[in-house]
């Protein structure tokens, strides 16, 4: 018999011979001793924290089926689900059940802050919920004594490992039943979450020893014990039925039959169904659109969509997949032309580290693979430009380096390096002899720099006084245009008597040779009175008009 593909199981809760959990964006039930699971919900939307009622007849969970997370319930034996709340709060979650059979839920509904989550008792008939008098809390454990978890930072410990800030989880206990809560385990320097009762012991998750693990103690804080190992992934989502404790770790479910020395054992649970979410499916290209680069004829473009690169013609013609390997991310496509043929280059992580891949726009021959260069020598690529003649590519790396990669040999040369942030705006001159970019200085300043692509000499095209960015060569290669935030023309505010700088960004132009006159400057001999402006060119500078 073929073994089913395992799923990623989370948020378990035991009751009797069953365990509820979430997988594949649905709620499931399975035998606690392992076996095949069956779905309780079939909405295929994010769901969390299923909890089985004390009488074992109903499952409650948090579902985003209608938008914001709300409390839903369904019979354990099967049947339609019902929505119980209409709070519209993104901080809503099921916490458990009350002793009288109502759903215990947390929400920030009606509160001024997303951190002020209150506990509510939600009746199963859909009536109004009752707010419980605990104040803002992040969890409630009802048992021999009521234990509260302080309102957390909004992320569970496994998402923000070893967090020690002021909103880390803290336990409070009402030992006398008079509503007065005192701090429990104040000495633990960790992030505490998911408190629960198992017999006379209060169990919880904490990472005060470096990794999230399950601990328990008596109600007075004595006899602290650790029940799960530290040499593995974080223990997460602990829940219990008063005796047993289940938790998830690395997408698997584990159970402790008691807290008196029992070892964790993994639940061998098999999911049914066809693994819909693991199958290839069509995606909305508009939503996942990454970047596009047209060729020089404007007949087609290289387009990046959700980690794949395609060649898309602008009118009639097919769309071709140039890079669409599962588990590989391709991005930043650029086009260039070599010997009359259109080519595409992009960044790939097929070998784990960024590299460049090249392929003709018409697609590869059957069985061929794109040519890959410079794997592991580029760092994380933030910017990419290709020389018009196709001889070399320029790369802006995450560590501030500007690199040139030779297309024929694969040689990588460092052009420049920044100590103040990321280089941006890489662009080649029309003859591929020069590379320009915006080089960052102390924030917020940046300047335009030029480098010769053969001898790698670097020149400062603009001083480090303003914010100069987005350079672009003119088509004839004689000028370099760029944007700069250097206009300081204050105007009075319409509503408040004060001065403000409105729209400081403007385009600017640099002449790249001393003999090249400004196309906007005056001519020494003036302009002929009757000559139209269109007949005046920079080349006529210094030559008096003749009649």
């Amino acid at each position: 018999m073929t073994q089913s593909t395992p799923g990623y199981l989370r948020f378990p809760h035991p009751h009797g011979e069953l365990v509820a959990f979430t997988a594949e964006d649905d709620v499931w039930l399975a035998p606690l001793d392992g076996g095949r699971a069956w779905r309780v919900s079939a909405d295929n939307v994010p769901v969390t924290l299923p909890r089985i009622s004390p009488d074992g007849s109903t499952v409650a969970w948090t579902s985003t089926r209608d938008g914001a997370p709300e409390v839903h319930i369904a019979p354990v034996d099967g049947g339609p689900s019902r929505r119980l709340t209409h709070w519209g709060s993104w901080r809503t979650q099921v916490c458990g059940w009350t002793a009288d059979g109502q759903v215990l839920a947390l929400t920030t509904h009606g509160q001024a802050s997303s951190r002020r989550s209150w506990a509510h008792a939600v009746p199963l008939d859909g009536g109004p919920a009752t707010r419980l008098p605990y104040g803002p809390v992040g969890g409630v454990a009802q048992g021999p004594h009521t234990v509260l978890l302080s309102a957390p930072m909004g992320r569970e410990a496994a998402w923000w490992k070893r967090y020690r800030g002021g909103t880390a989880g803290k336990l409070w206990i009402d030992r006398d039943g008079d509503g007065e809560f005192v701090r429990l385990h104040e000495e633990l320097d960790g992030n505490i979450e998911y408190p629960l009762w198992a017999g006379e012991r209060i169990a919880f998750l904490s990472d005060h020893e470096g990794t999230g693990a399950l601990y328990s103690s008596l109600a007075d804080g004595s006899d602290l014990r650790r029940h799960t190992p530290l040499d593995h992934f974080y223990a997460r989502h602990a829940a219990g039925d008063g005796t047993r404790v289940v938790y998830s770790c690395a997408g698997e479910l584990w159970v402790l039959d008691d807290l008196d020395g029992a070892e964790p054992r993994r639940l061998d649970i098999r999911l049914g169904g066809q693994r819909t979410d693991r199958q290839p499916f069509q995606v909305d290209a508009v939503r996942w659109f990454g970047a596009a680069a047209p060729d020089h004829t404007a007949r087609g473009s290289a387009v990046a969509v959700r980690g794949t690169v395609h060649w898309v013609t602008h009118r009639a013609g097919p769309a071709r997949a140039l890079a669409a390997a599962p588990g590989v991310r391709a991005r930043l496509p650029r086009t260039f032309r070599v010997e009359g043929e259109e080519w595409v280059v992009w960044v790939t992580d097929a070998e784990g580290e960024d590299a460049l891949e090249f392929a003709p726009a018409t697609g590869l021959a059957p069985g061929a693979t794109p040519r890959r260069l410079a794997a592991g020598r580029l760092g994380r690529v933030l910017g990419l430009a290709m020389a018009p003649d196709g001889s070399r590519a320029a790369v802006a790396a995450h560590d501030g380096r500007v690199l040139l990669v030779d297309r024929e040999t694969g040689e990588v040369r460092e052009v420049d390096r920044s100590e103040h942030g990321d280089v941006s705006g890489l662009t080649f001159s029309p003859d591929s002899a020069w590379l320009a970019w915006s080089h960052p200085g102390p924030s917020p300043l940046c300047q335009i720099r030029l480098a010769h692509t053969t001898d790698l000499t670097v020149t400062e095209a603009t001083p480090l006084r303003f914010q100069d960015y987005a350079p672009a060569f003119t088509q004839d290669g004689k000028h370099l245009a760029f944007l700069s935030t250097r206009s300081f023309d204050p105007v009075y505010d319409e509503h408040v008597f004060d001065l403000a700088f409105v729209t400081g960004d403007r385009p600017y132009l640099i002449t790249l040779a001393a003999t090249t006159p400004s196309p906007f400057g005056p001519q020494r001999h003036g302009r002929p009175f009757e000559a139209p402006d269109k007949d005046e060119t920079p080349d006529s500078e210094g030559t008096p008009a003749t009649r």
Side-chain angles (χ1 to χ4, degrees), residues 121-372:
V122 183
L124 302 189
D125 60 5
T130 302
R131 192 171 75 175
L132 302 180
Y134 300 141
V137 294
V140 179
Q142 295 179 331
H145 311 280
T146 300
V147 172
L148 304 178
L149 175 69
S150 62
M153 58 191 167
R155 292 177 178 267
E156 60 174 288
W159 290 5
W160 199 345
K161 294 178 173 60
R162 290 167 288 280
Y163 172 72
R164 297 294 185 265
T167 59
K170 305 172 183 63
L171 293 182
W172 300 80
I173 187 170
D174 178 12
R175 294 193 184 98
D176 299 327
D178 57 1
E180 293 293 328
F181 289 84
V182 296
R183 179 87 177 270
L184 181 64
H185 292 305
E186 187 174 359
E187 75 284 358
L188 296 184
D189 182 25
N191 194 2
I192 298 176
E193 58 183 356
Y194 290 98
L196 60 102
W197 284 97
E200 296 298 320
R201 301 184 67 83
I202 178 68
F204 53 91
L205 299 178
S206 176
D207 63 354
H208 63 274
E209 291 187 281
T211 302
L214 181 73
Y215 298 82
S216 73
S217 71
L218 297 177
D220 60 3
S222 63
D223 192 22
L224 181 65
R225 305 175 188 172
R226 176 168 53 83
H227 302 277
T228 60
L230 298 175
D231 57 351
H232 199 39
F233 295 94
Y234 265 53
R236 304 170 64 185
H237 314 141
D241 60 359
T243 302
R244 298 166 297 186
V245 178
V246 294
Y247 63 95
S248 65
C249 184
E252 299 177 334
L253 301 188
W254 297 75
V255 62
L256 283 160
D257 292 311
D258 58 62
L259 299 182
D260 294 326
E263 292 294 324
R265 58 183 177 89
R266 190 179 70 87
L267 300 182
D268 183 17
I269 293 176
R270 303 183 304 277
L271 301 182
Q274 58 178 335
R275 299 294 188 278
T276 302
D277 291 340
R278 297 175 64 91
Q279 303 301 318
F281 61 95
Q282 293 293 113
V283 298
D284 186 351
V286 174
R287 178 184 177 189
W288 295 102
F289 175 81
D295 71 345
H296 82 290
T297 66
R299 293 181 178 179
S301 293
V303 179
V305 177
R306 201 172 184 262
T308 63
V309 174
H310 304 260
W311 181 261
V312 179
T313 56
H314 294 169
R315 298 186 69 178
R320 306 179 185 92
L322 303 180
V328 176
R329 183 188 181 197
R331 56 191 178 90
L332 299 179
R334 301 291 185 263
T335 60
F336 62 98
R337 192 175 182 86
V338 176
E339 298 178 352
E341 184 179 8
E342 296 295 336
W343 283 73
V344 182
V345 59
W346 61 86
V347 179
T348 180
D349 62 357
E351 297 184 21
E353 297 188 63
D354 282 355
L356 302 184
E357 283 189 342
F358 298 82
T362 54
L364 296 164
T369 58
R371 184 173 179 232
R372 187 177 302 152

Side-chain angles (χ1 to χ4, degrees), residues 212 291 333 400 446 521 533:
C446 51
D533 291 340

